[in-house]
Every structure is written in structure tokens, then in C-alpha cells.
Amino acid sequence: MKNIVCVACPMGCALSVELSDSGEVLSVTGNTCKRGIDYAKTECTNPVRSFTSTVKVSGGILPVVPCKSAGNIPKEKLLDCATEIAKITAKAPVKLGDILIKNILGTGVDIIATNHCPEA
Amino acid sequence: MLNYDIVVVGGGPAGMAAAIKAKECGTDSILILERAETLGGILEQCIHTGFGLHYFGEELSGPEYADRFIEKINTLSIEYKTDTMVLDISGDNTVTAVNSTDGLLEIKAKAVILAMGCRERPRGALNTAGTRCSGIMSAGTAQKFVNIDGYMPGKKVVILGSGDIGLIMARRMTLEGAEVKCVCELMPYSSGLTRNIVQCLDDFNIPLHLSCTVTRIHGSERLEGVTIAKVDENRRPIKESEQFIECDTLLLSVGLIPENELTRAAGIEIDPVTGGAIVNESRQTTQAGVFACGNVLHVHDLVDYVTLESYTAGEGAAKYAQGKIANEKYAVTKGRGAVRYIVPQRVNLNCGEDVKLYFRVGDVFKNASVVVKCAGNEILRRKKIRLAPGEMESVTVKNETLCTMSEGDTIEISVEV
């Protein structure tokens, strides 16, 4: 039995996950919605997180624009992602939803802007 | 003198939602006054995700959540003035404001919506011993430095207080290359969301010290370190447990205070527990035609709830501006024992609708029951697996129950273990 906290939403349900000897998820209890079951399955096999940070901007009204991963990325790649996006500078104007990095670190997930940064 | 039906003070999530709802309820003449350069409020610097799951059914970052409302403000052609500071709200709902293009503005409003949000409790409120060196700031200040200004305020960080902003900044500073030494929390539990403890601290192996505080600040020009200590059950530091931690930055995440200077100056009654105005079910304060919503009323844990509450206030203000005012016959709400506060504090029994009461508990409970009594009669009993100070709860009182009550009756919420 493994006890984890679901981070799929701010509810933070306390989940109890029953695992087989080979690490397979047998049952999940404590969830209040079905996202909890999906969360328990990935958390016990291949934990993922959403990634948010900022990317440098040149010629914009602000020096940085916020960004996020368009989907979840493996938890152990969070710090590598941070290192990777520190290497780039976007050129203003940046629009909310613009793709800033395609397929970051081969995860298949894009890094997209989460705000507008008009030209200065 | 300018004339508007509704003036909204503050263009953050609360003010925008209230203005949008008021417009949708048929009030055309609305003006939002915002102190900052843009609409959006604090959401602009909250670049992490987790916003909008309840309201939009998807996980958005702060700026994305704000953008949906900014777009709507523009689509609905709701007027707003940024870089504008409101100085005063008079007894007849005249709003005095100032900005550098219009100078001094006097605006006569039929209804005013207070949506000024809250501020972080500062170092001065903590009475921590030590020097006045640089490197000590609120977690929200650091968040603005990093996320808006693109500037890292330090390299070795200790965070005092485990409120959500502190937890979020522990992860944010780590991702930007800082070493976060620990988070100290005075209480035996964290006031932040459990999910944030998992994904902001546990994921990065950042220790959370509960029942622990900072007892001394060291450094002359720049912060050089802090002394932390365990506290006993009376929250007094235990001398023998003192420990020095080297750091150049101390972030404070020690609570939020509704920003009610304008409200107080207007003579509007304040609830000493929430730090916000005393309101009725439509979020009208004790001054006729003045409404309040969002974090200026009471500190919310989720912006989604701010949006919903602001819709209530926006609708109430629109009705008031249109002269649709129900006869007032008030019952009061009262939290017993572990229930620290309830919003709204008063309910107009003639409101003609079911009323949702929001409340917060003062301690952590497992498998407890929430009990609601109207005029002494139990009308609802609900089992809760978990109740925590960091999570706002709600119950609904049906209109048919309200209709049976008399003026001055009490609606009481308590927790039974």
C-alpha cells in the first residue's frame, strides 16, 4: 500500500494505492474524481508534472514572458527544462499561446507563452 | 464630476469578474479603476498553473486566467483606467481618484464595488529580532522580481511561513538556480494546499520544518543567515533547539491581510476575524450601495472562488444601481467553536434565493461533521473526511428555510468530531 497526495487539482485528495509486486497499480481509494485514478497510475509508474517558468524577451515591454509546458513532462526533467529554457531569448512581440520551444528535451511537449509581451 | 452607475475599485480577478457580471445584468455605465499599469492584478505574477480548474475545467496559469477576463472586459467595452489610485469613497458613494493624465477625479456612483485584494503581512508585523539588512522580503515581492522583472533576488534562501506563495516561491527559486534551504512554519500544520507541499517542496527535497520559526536575523549590509528554533505548544521558541542557517535571502509568507484602508476610512463595518467588510448575501457592506468581493473581503485559497463571489457582488451592485432592492430583514451567521468565520455575516431573509455560506475552520479535523442550525434547528449535517484551515468550505441554506426564519435569528455553523 502506498499513500500519496493527488496533485491533479488544488483539492489535494489523500490517495491509497495498492501495488502488485511488479509495481502495477491494483486499486486506488481516497480519490474524489476519476482524475485521481489516472494520477495514481502515472505517479506510481512514471511521475509527471506541469512545468512553468519565464523566458527572456528582447525588445518587449518587460524583460521576461511567462511560459508553461503544453502538457505534463517527466518529474525528473523539471530542472533540465529550466536549464534548457534559460538558453533562449524570444523576440517581442510575443503572444499568449506562441510556441517558444518545440518538443523540449525530446519529451514531445512544447513550451508555450502564457502571457502577451508587446513590443516596447 | 463624472457619473457612473457602478465604479469598481481594483482591476484584478475580483474587480474584472464583478464588472463583467454587472454588465451582463444590464448595467452599461461601469468604470474600473486600477492602481497598476495593467488589468489582471496579482495573477500577472502567478505564472504557475492550477488556476481555473473549478471554473473553466482546465488548468491555467495566472496570466492565462486573467487574460480570459481582460478579453471579456474589452469585448464588452467596459471602461477602465489603469495607473489610477482611489483616495476616498464618501458616504454618498462619490469616489475620489487620481492619475497623471486626468489629475484629480471625482466620480459619482450609484454603486461601488470594492475589489482591492490583499497585501502580504510584512516583516514589521513579526517582531523578529536582528538587523535591518537587505535580502528580507515578502514571498510575493520575490515573485514579482523573478516573474515580472526577470531578476533573481538571492542565491541561498530560507522561507518563513508555509502559505501557498511561500511554497510556490520555494519551487520557483529552485528552478531558477537558487538553493532553498528550508521552509519554517510556526504552526504544527501548513496553511498551504497539500498539493503545493508535494509538488513545490517534496519534489525538490526541500525540508518543511513544522512548529519552527526564525528567532534572529544576522547580517550588516546583506543578510548572512538566520537562527531558527522549534516552538513549544504555546508557540514560544525553545532556546536549546536553536540552529544557525546560512542564507542571503529570507522570504516571508506569513499571511495575507485584506487591504481595507478605503473601507475603514469610509466608516464601513469590518469583521475583526476576516479583516474584510461585514457583508450580506449579495456582498453588500454596511454602507448602502457599496459591495465587496474577492480577497479584500476575506482571503480565498482559489481564484475560482474569487470569480464566483465577484459575480455575486456584480449582480448585487447591478440590481442596486437599477433600484431593485428587496426589503431587508436580516438573520446573522455565527461560527461556533472551530469555525473561525463565515461569509456572508448577514443574510437578508427576503432575498428569495438559496444562500451559500463560506467558512473556514481554525484547526485540522479528520472525519468530522459540519452542522448547520437555523434559529436553533439543525437543518444540515454533513460528514467531511478532512477539514483544514487552508481550505475554504461551503454549505447552502435553502430559501425555503430562510422563509421560516425571523429577523435577528442566527444561522450557526459548527464542527462536531
Side-chain angles (χ1 to χ4, degrees):
Chain A
M1 204 57 117
K2 193 170 173 182
N3 293 314
I4 58 172
V5 175
C6 180
V7 301
C9 87
M11 281 281 287
C13 295
L15 309 180
S16 294
V17 190
E18 197 186 341
L19 295 167
S20 72
D21 294 337
S22 59
E24 237 175 291
V25 176
L26 298 174
S27 73
V28 181
T29 51
N31 56 304
T32 49
C33 77
K34 73 175 184 40
R35 293 168 51 124
I37 297 172
D38 298 338
Y39 175 78
K41 283 182 181 161
T42 48
E43 187 66 11
C44 292
T45 49
N46 171 36
V48 293
R49 295 287 184 267
S50 74
F51 170 79
T52 57
S53 188
T54 49
V55 163
K56 291 193 283 285
V57 179
S58 66
I61 56 162
L62 291 170
V64 289
V65 69
C67 64
K68 70 173 181 184
S69 55
N72 285 331
I73 57 164
K75 187 173 118 178
E76 76 272 5
K77 289 204 170 155
L78 287 174
L79 284 168
D80 297 334
C81 279
T83 311
E84 196 63 19
I85 67 160
K87 293 175 189 164
I88 67 157
T89 301
K91 203 171 155 351
V94 178
K95 284 215 253 337
L96 192 154
D98 280 358
I99 296 174
L100 301 171
I101 299 180
K102 264 195 112 55
N103 183 20
I104 189 159
L105 300 171
T107 53
V109 178
D110 297 337
I111 298 293
I112 59 172
T114 54
N115 208 351
H116 307 278
C117 185
E119 271 176 280
Chain B
M1 175 93 76
L2 297 169
N3 277 285
Y4 281 89
D5 282 347
I6 299 178
V7 169
V8 183
V9 185
M16 290 195 293
I20 287 166
K21 191 65 177 187
K23 181 92 180 187
E24 287 172 348
C25 288
T27 302
D28 274 327
S29 152
I30 302 172
L31 176 66
I32 302 174
L33 301 174
E34 166 58 44
R35 180 170 62 184
E37 292 160 27
T38 57
L39 293 175
I42 206 68
L43 286 172
E44 296 294 307
Q45 70 183 57
C46 299
I47 65 163
H48 53 281
T49 54
F51 304 93
L53 263 161
H54 288 267
Y55 186 65
F56 289 114
E58 53 185 308
E59 190 158 349
L60 303 170
S61 70
E64 290 173 305
Y65 191 95
D67 190 66
R68 297 202 175 183
F69 291 86
I70 296 171
E71 289 273 319
K72 196 131 194 212
I73 295 278
N74 291 329
T75 316
L76 293 172
S77 307
I78 296 172
E79 286 178 60
Y80 61 88
K81 288 179 186 293
T82 54
D83 280 315
T84 303
M85 181 81 184
V86 173
L87 304 173
D88 183 64
I89 298 160
S90 74
D92 67 346
N93 298 344
T94 300
V95 176
T96 309
V98 67
N99 68 31
S100 58
T101 37
D102 302 302
L104 196 68
L105 289 157
E106 285 219 298
I107 310 155
K108 179 80 188 76
K110 288 179 184 158
V112 176
I113 300 173
L114 306 175
M116 294 89 82
C118 59
R119 295 191 81 82
E120 295 174 283
R121 181 167 286 140
R123 176 186 174 180
L126 299 181
N127 292 323
T128 307
T131 52
R132 293 282 182 270
C133 47
S134 69
I136 304 165
M137 69 198 82
S138 71
T141 303
Q143 188 177 45
K144 181 170 188 295
F145 277 144
V146 178
N147 294 344
I148 305 279
D149 303 329
Y151 178 83
M152 270 295 275
K155 292 183 178 127
K156 293 177 187 171
V157 186
V158 169
I159 298 174
L160 175 59
S162 62
D164 285 310
I165 315 170
L167 300 176
I168 293 288
M169 282 314 291
R171 173 176 64 184
R172 187 73 192 107
M173 297 291 280
T174 305
L175 284 175
E176 289 297 332
E179 182 195 353
V180 178
K181 301 265 181 125
C182 64
V183 176
C184 299
E185 169 61 55
L186 181 69
M187 303 303 285
Y189 52 81
S190 166
S191 57
L193 298 172
T194 317
R195 130 190 176 111
N196 284 337
I197 295 177
V198 173
Q199 55 184 5
C200 297
L201 301 186
D202 298 352
D203 278 2
F204 299 96
N205 301 314
I206 298 166
L208 170 62
H209 302 312
L210 297 173
S211 300
C212 177
T213 192
V214 170
T215 55
R216 185 162 281 277
I217 286 161
H218 307 266
S220 48
E221 297 274 303
R222 176 80 191 196
L223 181 67
E224 286 158 20
V226 294
T227 302
I228 66 168
K230 282 284 200 195
V231 296
D232 63 20
E233 59 274 18
N234 299 316
R235 293 185 230 159
R236 291 190 182 280
I238 303 164
K239 186 86 187 151
E240 303 75 59
S241 69
E242 280 192 342
Q243 182 190 346
F244 177 80
I245 298 185
E246 188 206 343
C247 61
D248 58 23
T249 305
L250 175 65
L251 300 187
L252 305 174
S253 176
V254 290
L256 299 166
I257 308 164
E259 193 171 7
N260 272 304
E261 283 79 2
L262 285 171
T263 323
R264 278 201 188 82
I268 291 167
E269 234 180 293
I270 301 277
D271 180 329
V273 182
T274 59
I278 289 175
V279 291
N280 71 7
E281 72 293 336
S282 63
R283 304 300 182 269
Q284 185 172 198
T285 67
T286 53
Q287 179 165 325
V290 177
F291 295 75
C293 55
N295 283 351
V296 79
L297 186 56
H298 59 127
V299 178
H300 296 63
D301 16 77
L302 300 179
V303 71
D304 304 59
Y305 296 152
V306 168
T307 298
L308 294 175
E309 178 173 85
S310 306
Y311 284 161
T312 304
E315 189 181 340
K319 280 186 183 164
Y320 185 92
Q322 292 158 15
K324 297 178 200 158
I325 306 158
N327 281 331
E328 294 179 347
K329 184 173 94 176
Y330 282 110
V332 293
T333 62
K334 191 171 163 45
R336 270 220 181 275
V339 177
R340 280 187 57 230
Y341 73 76
I342 304 171
V343 170
Q345 291 85 349
R346 359 190 257 155
V347 176
N348 184 0
L349 300 170
N350 292 331
C351 68
E353 288 170 1
D354 296 350
V355 171
K356 212 167 181 182
L357 303 177
Y358 292 89
F359 66 96
R360 218 178 262 285
V361 294
D363 207 345
V364 180
F365 294 94
K366 280 193 173 137
N367 296 316
S369 295
V370 171
V371 181
V372 184
K373 286 182 184 167
C374 286
N377 305 313
E378 182 174 318
I379 58 143
L380 195 140
R381 175 178 288 266
R382 199 192 293 151
K383 201 125 189 103
K384 298 292 286 186
I385 300 169
R386 184 188 140 86
L387 290 165
E391 284 152 41
M392 196 159 73
E393 300 287 337
S394 68
V395 291
T396 301
V397 180
K398 295 263 184 220
N399 181 41
E400 60 214 51
T401 309
L402 297 177
C403 288
T404 65
M405 295 177 69
S406 319
E407 180 144 35
D409 277 352
T410 304
I411 304 171
E412 184 186 289
I413 305 179
S414 59
V415 174
E416 288 181 14
V417 187

